Amino acid sequence: MPHTVLLAEDDRAIRNALERALTLEGYRVTAVADGVEALAQAHRSRPDVLVLDVMMPGVDGLQVCRVLRAEGDRTPVLILTALVETADRIAGLDAGADDYVVKPFDVEEVFARLRALLRRAAPAPAEPEPAAAQEAEPPAPTGRFLEAAGLRMDPQARRAWRGDRELELTRTEFELLELLVRNAGVVLDHSTIYDRIWGYDFGPGSKNLAVYVGYLRRKLDEPGAPQLIHTVRGVGYVLREG
């Protein structure tokens, strides 16, 4: 079955062009012109992924995202925005978006980001049932946790803590932090992180990774405590204390 996309874009030319491109790419697309229609359609039939323009009259894309997240809807959201300041991109992530594309955009980049979001949202393959004659022992409680630099993560439950404080992380933030924790002390270059998290290297001009690292730092850092995510200029990022 083709993946379903709910596209909300008030610019008719962009909406029609993107709807046509997505359809040719194999998606089943429902295109609407504003946030009110987007919410109504999302409530009628939940799509596999949403593509939301930020600047729409009435209810904008960020408000749509906030409403869906408040309702517990975790459908992946890709934001389309002409706003290029870091603060604007952070506002989108704060609203619960999973990723964003800056206008004017290359449609191939939209396709790549959608593929990455859908891969991450796909359910994990079911593990085979153990043979009847074998009784599988439950894993030791500590075996499910990842620990490094004062952080503790439970990948199965998708929960993370710094000390006793639980962190509220989006899907992408959790996956980025998990990658850093699993490779604590190792400098990960930009290309490796892009490939592991997004499944696509958006090139040296992309600020996507820097925005997510900055946002993750805001949630991790504590007054008087050492910073955990360090920038290695010209290379990438590393997780370590001090």
Side-chain angles (χ1 to χ4, degrees):
M1 291 290 291
H3 287 295
T4 55
V5 177
L6 174 55
L7 167 65
E9 166 63 69
D10 67 315
D11 186 306
R12 179 181 296 177
I14 295 176
R15 184 175 67 252
N16 290 345
L18 194 50
E19 180 183 10
R20 184 165 53 252
L22 288 167
T23 300
L24 290 173
E25 188 69 7
Y27 294 99
R28 192 165 74 246
V29 184
T30 299
V32 298
D34 59 51
V36 173
E37 289 185 75
L39 282 172
Q41 184 61 39
H43 289 150
R44 281 195 295 269
S45 178
R46 181 175 174 177
D48 294 319
V49 63
L50 292 97
V51 180
L52 304 174
D53 180 36
V54 170
M55 304 295 287
M56 292 188 291
V59 177
D60 64 25
L62 299 190
Q63 290 174 295
V64 171
C65 195
R66 291 189 189 99
V67 169
L68 293 176
R69 296 303 187 239
E71 294 173 347
D73 190 325
R74 306 310 303 170
T75 304
V77 173
L78 177 66
I79 290 288
L80 305 178
T81 178
L83 306 174
V84 298
E85 296 298 324
T86 298
D88 297 316
R89 292 193 285 258
I90 289 175
L93 303 179
D94 271 334
D98 296 283
D99 203 353
Y100 64 87
V101 174
V102 176
K103 296 179 180 179
F105 51 78
D106 186 322
V107 70
E108 292 296 331
E109 181 178 355
V110 175
F111 293 161
R113 293 182 185 272
L114 287 178
R115 287 194 297 267
L117 287 176
L118 290 167
R119 277 197 303 271
R120 297 206 302 272
E127 295 184 2
E129 292 290 332
Q134 299 176 339
E135 293 187 5
E137 295 184 3
T142 56
R144 62 185 287 177
F145 292 102
L146 301 174
E147 297 189 35
L151 296 173
R152 185 164 56 98
M153 303 188 74
D154 182 348
Q156 295 180 31
R158 302 189 73 80
R159 299 176 67 186
W161 298 262
R162 180 170 188 178
D164 295 328
R165 178 171 61 91
E166 184 165 2
L167 307 171
E168 295 294 330
L169 304 175
T170 65
R171 180 191 293 108
T172 301
E173 291 164 1
F174 186 93
E175 292 178 357
L176 177 56
L177 184 60
E178 181 181 356
L179 179 64
L180 291 167
V181 168
R182 288 185 183 276
N183 295 275
V186 177
V187 178
L188 298 176
D189 62 70
H190 296 93
S191 295
T192 297
I193 298 175
Y194 272 123
D195 183 65
R196 293 286 298 277
I197 302 302
W198 285 275
Y200 183 83
D201 186 350
F202 297 104
S206 175
K207 302 296 183 184
N208 203 44
L209 178 55
V211 169
Y212 273 97
V213 168
Y215 194 49
L216 193 52
R217 280 172 171 159
R218 288 174 56 192
K219 295 188 176 183
L220 287 177
D221 291 349
E222 299 174 339
Q227 187 179 69
L228 299 183
I229 301 176
H230 299 266
T231 302
V232 181
R233 291 193 178 277
V235 182
Y237 299 94
V238 59
L239 179 79
R240 64 169 183 261
E241 284 189 287

